[in-house]
Amino acid sequence: MKTLRIAAIPGDGIGNEVVPAAVKTLEALSKISGDVTFEFTYFPYGCEYYLKHGEMMPKDGLARLKGFDAIFLGAVGNAELVPDHISLWGLLIKIRREFQQSINVRPAKVLKGVRSPLADPKGFDLMVVRENSEGEYSSVGGRIYQGEDEIAVQNNIFSRKATERAMRFAFDLALKRNNHVTSATKSNGIVYTMPFWDEIFDEVSQGYPDIETESQHIDALTAFFATHPEKFDVIVASNLFGDILTDLGAALMGSIGVAPAANINVNGNYPSMFEPVHGSAPDIVGKGIANPMGQIWTAKMMLDHLGEEKMGRHLLDAIERTTSKGIVTPDLGGTNTTEDVTEEVIKQLH
């Protein structure tokens, strides 16, 4: 039997509620499949850890995580305890950058039984591939002077290597789907980096003659997400543009609580990391109503990445059978608890 070694980091807030729910679901799936077993090791990294130790993870934290097959993260952040820029850069972004998780992938689709805020969502099913290592979130810049003369400078960094890598990942993904890639750009307003992005997109597309392509300016693309999401298959975007589009995609599904994400290391030198989009949601901590769907769907993405696509499909089917029965948490208009939803997903696995 194949054993997958997973580093579990529940983190902050509802991460401590939804990670155990997803782990329980994976363990049930393992018993049913009989082919794969999971070995989870928990790490207490997060804001509570910071209050005790003055850092979000120990100095050898990355070394401890490196040997695992994947990292399963719940949430990072509690602004009442630790400023967001410290918690984010001390854990989530630190793992992403140091482990070269240069690609972020986030799906959005109509889930059976889940009402989209769109009057007619038309069965949309799309994937956003986000460049995850540089772009608008590069830590290059600074602040100078004081008072009315104070200046803040933030540099956007786009390398050919990272841009090509994200685009090739998107094209390869489209080959497994519906053979269509949309590039998110803004070359009519950002005069250096976005024309560079467009040029590389055109170059990469030449190597995929069977893929239909288009480029859309981010403002228009955001509008089209709301008016015609069914027209999109795979979208490739820079760090900031991808971040915004994927939160909108989650909202179009009906709740950010159902949205999963994968931070992919493409060279195999480090583990990839899987996390839901929803964050730590401190307003509902301890109420038992956190939506476990995003974390469970994230587990599906982790299974796919680790070569267990059949198990991943089985898990997503169980999620949709659960939502189609109307067994959902309050963020989706339901009355069920985290435990209710988790138990029903496990029931639907059988």
Side-chain angles (χ1 to χ4, degrees):
M1 181 178 289
K2 179 180 179 181
T3 298
L4 296 175
R5 298 179 63 247
I6 310 299
I9 308 176
D12 301 309
I14 63 169
N16 293 282
E17 301 170 36
V18 296
V19 166
V23 167
K24 185 177 182 180
T25 305
L26 282 171
E27 289 175 339
L29 180 60
S30 172
K31 292 178 182 178
I32 294 167
S33 75
D35 297 324
V36 175
T37 186
F38 299 95
E39 181 182 300
F40 290 95
T41 301
Y42 282 82
F43 294 86
Y45 307 155
C47 289
E48 293 286 351
Y49 187 92
Y50 182 89
L51 294 181
K52 295 178 182 178
H53 303 282
E55 52 191 358
M56 292 295 291
M57 66 165 67
K59 290 180 174 55
D60 66 345
L62 292 174
R64 297 184 189 187
L65 296 173
K66 183 179 178 181
F68 288 88
D69 295 311
I71 301 169
F72 198 47
L73 176 69
V76 176
N78 185 338
E80 293 184 1
L81 300 178
V82 181
D84 283 340
H85 70 280
I86 293 177
S87 61
L88 193 65
W89 284 84
L91 184 57
L92 177 65
I93 294 181
K94 186 177 181 65
I95 294 173
R96 285 180 178 175
R97 298 287 169 88
E98 296 293 329
F99 282 175
Q100 300 173 13
Q101 295 167 352
S102 57
I103 305 292
N104 182 274
V105 183
R106 296 183 181 181
K109 69 187 293 289
V110 174
L111 289 173
K112 296 174 183 177
V114 175
R115 183 176 180 181
S116 167
L118 296 177
D120 184 6
K122 299 178 182 177
F124 71 85
D125 182 350
L126 58 88
M127 298 281 278
V128 177
V129 174
R130 166 187 168 194
E131 199 292 310
N132 205 33
S133 65
E134 51 180 37
E136 302 88 351
Y137 291 172
S138 300
S139 54
V140 178
R143 294 168 68 165
I144 57 175
Y145 310 133
Q146 293 81 38
E148 65 179 11
D149 294 321
E150 188 171 15
I151 297 173
V153 177
Q154 178 74 45
N155 292 331
N156 297 346
I157 304 298
F158 285 74
S159 69
R160 172 173 289 276
K161 180 179 179 180
T163 302
E164 281 190 2
R165 182 169 52 208
M167 290 176 177
R168 292 189 187 283
F169 190 97
F171 276 90
D172 289 339
L173 182 60
L175 288 173
K176 302 174 185 178
R177 290 172 51 88
N178 297 313
N179 295 315
H180 190 280
V181 177
T182 301
S183 169
T185 185
K186 190 57 182 171
S187 50
N188 63 346
I190 301 175
V191 298
Y192 295 115
T193 56
M194 284 292 106
F196 177 74
W197 175 278
D198 292 348
E199 290 167 13
I200 295 176
F201 183 74
D202 289 341
E203 291 173 13
V204 172
S205 68
Q206 301 304 311
Y208 296 84
D210 295 329
I211 300 289
E212 184 180 355
T213 64
E214 64 174 337
S215 291
Q216 294 282 357
H217 290 135
I218 186 62
D219 43 353
L221 181 55
T222 304
F224 292 147
F225 253 50
T227 57
H228 295 290
E230 78 285 355
K231 292 186 176 181
F232 297 105
D233 179 24
V234 176
I235 301 96
V236 62
S238 65
N239 216 332
L240 174 63
F241 292 173
D243 198 3
I244 294 170
L245 286 174
T246 51
D247 276 16
L248 176 56
L252 297 181
M253 284 195 285
S255 170
I256 200 169
V258 301
N263 299 285
I264 304 298
N265 169 271
V266 297
N267 60 29
N269 293 334
Y270 301 97
S272 295
M273 179 168 62
F274 302 83
E275 53 165 333
V277 174
H278 55 58
S280 61
D283 57 318
I284 60 169
V285 171
K287 296 182 179 180
I289 58 171
N291 192 339
M293 292 295 193
Q295 192 79 52
I296 296 172
W297 192 351
T298 295
K300 185 267 186 194
M301 297 188 75
M302 182 171 69
L303 288 169
D304 290 345
H305 177 73
L306 295 173
E308 301 299 330
E309 292 90 349
K310 182 178 179 181
M311 290 179 71
R313 287 193 299 271
H314 190 38
L315 186 53
L316 185 56
D317 287 344
I319 290 173
E320 292 206 73
R321 285 194 291 269
T322 298
T323 56
S324 66
K325 292 181 67 175
I327 300 177
V328 294
T329 44
D331 59 305
L332 290 174
T335 59
N336 297 101
T337 65
T338 307
E339 183 177 2
D340 292 337
V341 174
T342 303
E343 292 301 325
E344 185 61 31
V345 172
I346 292 172
K347 179 181 176 183
Q348 293 300 327
L349 288 172
H350 292 82

